[in-house]
Amino acid sequence: MIALTRLAAGSILSLAALATPATAQDTTFARGELSSAKNHSGDIWLNELSAGDSVIDAAVAVATYAPGAVLDWHAHPGGQVLVITEGEGFYQERGKPSRIVHKGDVIRSMPGVEHWHGATPTSPFAYFAVTPTQKGKTIWLKPVTKAEYAAVR
């Protein structure tokens, strides 16, 4: 299985190397609509790519944050995976130290674990979010305090 995966990855890389600027396609996603929800501070855009349903139990979205934007504390009953695609951000789970995350990082938020994430004061921040939906929607909690945001190291 590992050899097959490496072979497939090598084939994909070989094909990508053959692409020229004239044939390469832009694979970025639109940042979506500016959120008017009351569960964050700062400007955050959301592009919902696919809603979860009874066949495929996962919602997929792209979220893009302006520098300094942050979501309130929240939890996902089914967990969540974030794939950071741009910039630098912060992530913290309740009771654990906060951390800085970068483009290319993958965050796995376990089911029901309270956490928050947001952009650094100086960098935009974006990610793909894959969120299982059949166990329920996001549970929104209190806003992140200025002290919690400032404590990220």
Side-chain angles (χ1 to χ4, degrees):
M1 184 69 155
I2 293 173
L4 180 58
T5 303
R6 287 184 183 150
L7 176 61
S11 297
I12 291 169
L13 290 174
S14 296
L15 289 172
L18 295 175
T20 63
T23 61
Q25 294 181 355
D26 182 4
T27 57
T28 59
F29 289 87
R31 68 181 182 178
E33 301 295 320
L34 183 61
S35 173
S36 61
K38 303 296 181 201
N39 56 16
H40 62 84
S41 62
D43 288 340
I44 299 176
W45 294 264
L46 186 63
N47 181 357
E48 296 187 39
L49 303 174
S50 178
D53 57 35
S54 63
V55 177
I56 298 178
D57 173 29
V60 180
V62 174
T64 305
Y65 294 55
V70 61
L71 285 181
D72 293 350
W73 282 95
H74 60 283
H76 306 282
Q80 185 179 60
V81 175
L82 302 178
V83 179
I84 312 306
T85 59
E86 177 185 342
E88 186 175 75
F90 299 148
Y91 176 81
Q92 182 177 19
E93 293 180 353
R94 178 79 64 203
K96 294 185 178 179
S98 54
R99 62 184 170 140
I100 298 174
V101 294
H102 304 89
K103 180 179 180 177
D105 288 347
V106 176
I107 299 168
R108 292 173 42 103
S109 297
M110 294 294 105
V113 172
E114 295 179 10
H115 65 280
W116 67 270
H117 36 93
T120 68
T122 59
S123 175
F125 176 60
Y127 55 76
F128 280 104
V130 179
T131 311
T133 58
Q134 289 188 354
K135 291 186 178 180
K137 295 185 179 214
T138 302
I139 300 164
W140 294 103
L141 305 165
K142 67 181 186 90
V144 173
T145 66
K146 289 181 181 181
E148 288 169 326
Y149 185 84
V152 178
R153 295 282 177 248

